[in-house]
Amino acid sequence: KVEEGVELRPAGHIVEYLLQSNGHHIKLRAKIGTGSMAGAARIAIVITEIDSLQETELAALESAAWDKSLMVNAYSPNQTLKKLRFTSSRNEVLLELPMEPSTYPYVDPGKHAIFIHHPQDEIGKILSEGFDSLPKAKGFATKHGDRAIENLPLLDHLFLYTAGKNLTFLDLTGSP
């Protein structure tokens, strides 16, 4: 979780964030550039929960001069997100993939979710339907799904699909 973020000088090139994860605080300073020093870590920025973005907010996010991944709900009623079909190459789109959580049925991941009882053909159908909305998507990022992500037969079915199409699969459940 980002608790605080600031842009340092020179503007647009260095940012510093105070992050919180599992009760620990981390200070992250990142320099945006094309090169990296030997041994330096590389960071990926994945932006989630963008269903309510307005057109001007999406335009500002898209025009930012740094690579990012945008996690998008393929079934969102927000028509502004459909413009991501034509986004620039520095903006990678990952489809939001709701999966069965350990708290199901109290937390319902929704109509287009993958459950541990789904056979491979059903999983392929669900994944393929997401691409109908955003065909340039580079893969999937989980939403909920801590129970599903720990089910090895389900993961086999998921990875057969994603590996066969050279797609990214990003697990954001925090499951061990």
Side-chain angles (χ1 to χ4, degrees):
K1 177 179 171 187
V2 177
E3 291 187 339
E4 185 179 343
V6 294
E7 191 172 325
L8 305 175
R9 297 191 187 276
H13 294 282
I14 301 175
V15 293
E16 186 174 275
Y17 291 104
L18 180 60
L19 308 173
Q20 189 268 344
S21 177
N22 297 324
H24 296 91
H25 285 88
I26 302 165
K27 187 179 277 191
L28 171 71
R29 183 174 286 181
K31 180 176 181 181
I32 300 170
T34 57
S36 61
M37 295 172 42
R42 300 193 81 161
I43 188 168
I45 299 173
V46 180
I47 300 173
T48 64
E49 306 294 329
I50 65 172
D51 284 355
S52 63
L53 282 183
Q54 301 298 315
E55 193 164 339
T56 55
E57 296 167 322
L58 181 62
L61 184 60
E62 280 190 290
S63 66
W66 35 274
D67 294 349
K68 67 200 92 42
S69 296
L70 305 172
M71 186 172 149
V72 179
N73 176 354
Y75 303 99
S76 173
N78 185 345
Q79 291 300 308
T80 300
L81 295 179
K82 301 297 183 204
K83 293 182 179 194
L84 287 172
R85 292 180 191 188
F86 311 104
T87 192
S88 75
S89 61
R90 71 174 165 256
N91 301 314
E92 177 182 69
V93 173
L94 296 175
L95 296 175
E96 184 177 284
L97 181 60
M99 298 172 71
E100 182 176 339
S102 58
T103 53
Y104 181 77
Y106 302 106
V107 173
D108 186 351
K111 173 177 161 179
H112 304 284
I114 291 181
F115 292 88
I116 60 174
H117 68 272
H118 282 152
Q120 186 165 357
D121 61 332
E122 182 70 16
I123 291 169
K125 180 180 175 222
I126 291 168
L127 297 176
S128 293
E129 285 173 353
F131 279 105
D132 291 344
S133 177
L134 291 162
K136 288 187 177 179
K138 301 293 184 190
F140 301 94
T142 58
K143 181 171 182 180
H144 306 298
D146 56 331
R147 181 173 184 203
I149 208 71
E150 294 176 7
N151 184 287
L152 294 180
L154 175 70
L155 286 182
D156 285 342
H157 297 321
L158 268 171
F159 292 152
L160 279 172
Y161 182 92
T162 57
K165 298 183 182 304
N166 198 28
L167 299 171
T168 298
F169 180 79
L170 179 61
D171 175 23
L172 299 177
T173 64
S175 171

